[in-house]
Amino acid sequence: MKYNNSRRVFLKKSNALVIGAIASWSVISKIFASPLFSKTEMIKFEEGKFLLPVLPYTYDSLEPHIDKLTMEIHHSKHHQGYVNNLNKALETSDKSLLESPQALIKIFDNIINLPPAIRNNAGGHYNHSLFWIIMKPNGGGKPKGKLASTMDATWGSFDEFKKQFTDASLKHFGSGWVWLVVNKGKLAISATSNQDNPLMNMDSILIKGTPILALDIWEHAYYLKNQNRRAEYIASWWNVLNWEVVESLFTINVK
Ligand code: MN
C-alpha cells in the first residue's frame, strides 16, 4: 500500500509537469545534428542503413564500476543486434522514413503505425546510443550550471534527485529504462518498459520529452558482474556518469 501511494504521488507530480506535451522534434533534430553526436558517431546512418556507433572509450575503461566483458557483449552483441534487426525490419517498410539523420525522429513520431520489430529495435538502437555517451571513464560527481540549478528547483537537491532516480530504477518491474527527461525546460524522471522511450509518440508513454540521461535496467546490462543485484549496478553506474554531456543535452533543449 505504501508503495502504491508513493508511486501515485510520484506519477502525479511528474505528470503535472509534462503530460500531454509532445516532444519537440525540431529540438531533437538539433541534438542529432550537434557536434556532440557527430563526434561520437551516434545515430550513424549510411546508404540507407543504421550503423553501430563507435564507443568514445574502450570496453575496459569503465572498470571497476562496469566490467569489460559486460561492455563488450552489451555493445558488440546486444546493440549490434538491435541495429541489424532494425535495418532488416526497415527493408520492408516505407522508405520515406529513411532520411538521415531524421530517420529515428520520424520513426518515433509515427511509432503507432509501425510494426513491433521497428518499435523494439529503433528504440534499442537510440536508447543504447544515448546510454554510451552519457558515461565516461573517471566520471561521476554532480552536474553544474543551469542543469544543477534546475535539478535543485525541481527536487530540492541533487541528492534527492539521485534518490528518486535510483528508487524509480529499483521499482521498475522487468526490463526497461529509466530516464531524466526534459520538456519545455522542465525536468522529470520516468521509466519505460522493454526498449520504449520518452520520444515515442504513443499513449502508453506517460511522460514524453527529450531524454538527457538514460539508465539501462535490462539484466544484460549488469548480470555478468552483479548477477541479480540491480541496486549494486545502479550504485556503480553513478560513478561513470558524464555530466558534461548531460549538461550539453540539457542546454540544447532549453535554448
Ligand atoms: Mn542494453
Side-chain angles (χ1 to χ4, degrees), residues 74 128 177 195 216 218 220:
H74 201 172
H128 287 90
W177 291 78
Q195 294 295 354
D216 189 342
W218 282 59
H220 70 223

Side-chain angles (χ1 to χ4, degrees), residues 74-94:
H74 201 172
H75 178 256
S76 72
K77 306 289 183 198
H78 290 282
H79 191 171
Q80 182 73 67
Y82 295 117
V83 171
N84 294 348
N85 290 329
L86 173 60
N87 287 331
K88 198 171 154 198
L90 287 168
E91 279 171 13
T92 53
S93 293
D94 179 0

Side-chain angles (χ1 to χ4, degrees), residues 25-44:
W25 306 110
S26 63
V27 167
I28 297 155
S29 352
K30 239 194 297 181
I31 288 179
F32 285 171
S34 79
L36 180 71
F37 286 82
S38 48
K39 198 170 71 187
T40 57
E41 302 187 314
M42 182 187 175
I43 317 300
K44 200 171 175 190

